[in-house]
Amino acid sequence: EVQLQASGGGLVQAGGSLRLSCAVSGLSFDDRVIGWFRQAPGKGREGVSCISNSDLTTWYVDSVKGRFSISSDNAKRTVYLQLNSLKPEDTAVYHCATQSLGSCYREFDYWGQGTQVTVSS
């Protein structure tokens, strides 16, 4: 069974930190592209960060550069997204997704259930 389990969300004050995890099962891992997306109420889905496990290249949306950091642990088959200096506008449901097309700019075809991040002021 293919499963992407997102976890680590919660309620945090502005300026705080969270660490999100995406555990992958039922799929290959070391050849995959894994991305984090978020969707806030009334807004469309936004790409936040991405990592290619083949060469460990990364991508971040401009609004989170310098605050968020993505990493991958092949042994644990898990991708992490470290969220620092959180702002209220970061509030959203965060989903992880994956594909095997080699680039963060390609379509993602497997999606996790998401984890809620709420940042209060």
Side-chain angles (χ1 to χ4, degrees):
E1 179 181 355
V2 175
Q3 194 166 20
L4 284 79
Q5 298 174 290
S7 61
L11 175 64
V12 64
Q13 292 186 351
S17 298
L18 289 170
R19 185 177 177 86
L20 308 184
S21 299
C22 178
V24 178
S25 61
L27 294 167
S28 61
F29 187 80
D30 60 1
D31 62 340
R32 285 195 162 266
V33 177
I34 300 175
W36 285 96
F37 299 78
R38 65 187 181 187
Q39 187 164 17
K43 297 183 178 180
R45 186 166 57 211
E46 175 189 36
V48 178
S49 186
C50 178
I51 186 167
S52 172
N53 281 343
S54 297
D55 57 11
L56 298 182
T57 56
T58 59
W59 174 89
Y60 302 90
V61 68
D62 285 347
S63 62
V64 309
K65 288 181 179 178
R67 300 190 297 119
F68 292 6
S69 180
I70 192 169
S71 62
S72 182
D73 187 326
N74 190 57
K76 296 181 179 179
R77 299 174 59 87
T78 300
V79 168
Y80 304 95
L81 186 66
Q82 179 69 41
L83 316 178
N84 295 324
S85 302
L86 282 163
K87 304 175 180 179
E89 51 262 45
D90 295 318
T91 295
V93 177
Y94 284 70
H95 299 264
C96 61
T98 187
Q99 38 93 340
S100 59
L101 301 176
S103 170
C104 288
Y105 297 96
R106 305 295 298 278
E107 180 183 3
F108 290 76
D109 54 358
Y110 291 99
W111 293 80
Q113 79 284 2
T115 185
Q116 176 71 48
V117 171
T118 303
V119 184
S120 66
S121 60

